């Protein structure tokens, strides 16, 4: 049974930081591409950042220079460090693991507000 469990979301003021974590089980973690996506109210889910099994990273233009994705294969965990947060970053953030199949976590809410 594959599980992806996100944590680390919450309420933060503009300019603040958060680190999201996603712990995976039930997959051979090291061979999967991993990613973070987000969905704001009334909007479609969008890509935030991805990291390949070879540690190549890719970011949405809106988060470049502010967010950092990383993976720890020893802990079966992928992280998203988010700095300089803006109100428009408010969304539910989802973890994804992709190879021949796609797996999703349940999401964690991030709210950026003063």
């Amino acid at each position: 049974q594959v599980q992806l469990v996100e944590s680390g979301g919450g309420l933060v003021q503009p300019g603040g930081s958060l680190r999201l974590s996603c712990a995976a089980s039930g997959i051979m973690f090291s061979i999967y591409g991993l990613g973070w996506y987000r969905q704001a109210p009334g909007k479609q889910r969008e890509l935030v950042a991805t990291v390949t099994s070879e540690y190549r990273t890719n970011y949405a233009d809106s988060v470049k220079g502010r967010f950092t994705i990383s993976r720890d294969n020893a802990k079966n965990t992928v992280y998203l460090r988010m700095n300089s947060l803006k109100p428009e970053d408010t969304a539910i953030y989802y973890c994804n693991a992709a190879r021949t199949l796609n797996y999703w976590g349940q999401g964690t809410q991030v709210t950026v507000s003063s």
Side-chain angles (χ1 to χ4, degrees):
Q1 182 184 359
V2 178
Q3 280 193 313
L4 300 176
V5 180
E6 299 101 333
S7 60
L11 173 63
V12 63
Q13 292 187 340
S17 298
L18 283 175
R19 190 181 79 157
L20 305 182
S21 300
C22 173
S25 60
I27 58 173
M28 192 176 294
F29 186 81
S30 62
I31 67 173
Y32 273 74
L34 305 167
W36 289 96
Y37 293 72
R38 66 187 181 188
Q39 188 166 17
K43 294 188 177 182
Q44 289 192 331
R45 190 173 297 188
E46 63 176 3
L47 181 148
V48 176
T50 60
V51 57
T52 72
S53 56
E54 293 81 26
Y55 294 88
R56 289 191 297 270
T57 58
N58 180 57
Y59 296 92
D61 287 343
S62 59
V63 306
K64 280 180 181 176
R66 299 189 298 123
F67 291 10
T68 302
I69 189 170
S70 61
R71 63 189 297 162
D72 186 336
N73 288 346
K75 296 182 178 180
N76 283 8
T77 301
V78 58
Y79 303 97
L80 185 68
R81 177 67 179 181
M82 305 184 294
N83 296 328
S84 303
L85 282 161
K86 305 175 181 180
E88 51 263 43
D89 295 317
T90 294
I92 299 174
Y93 283 70
Y94 296 91
C95 172
N96 172 266
R99 190 165 167 84
T100 53
L101 296 175
N102 262 303
Y103 299 102
W104 294 91
Q106 81 290 349
T108 185
Q109 177 70 49
V110 172
T111 302
V112 184
S113 175
S114 55

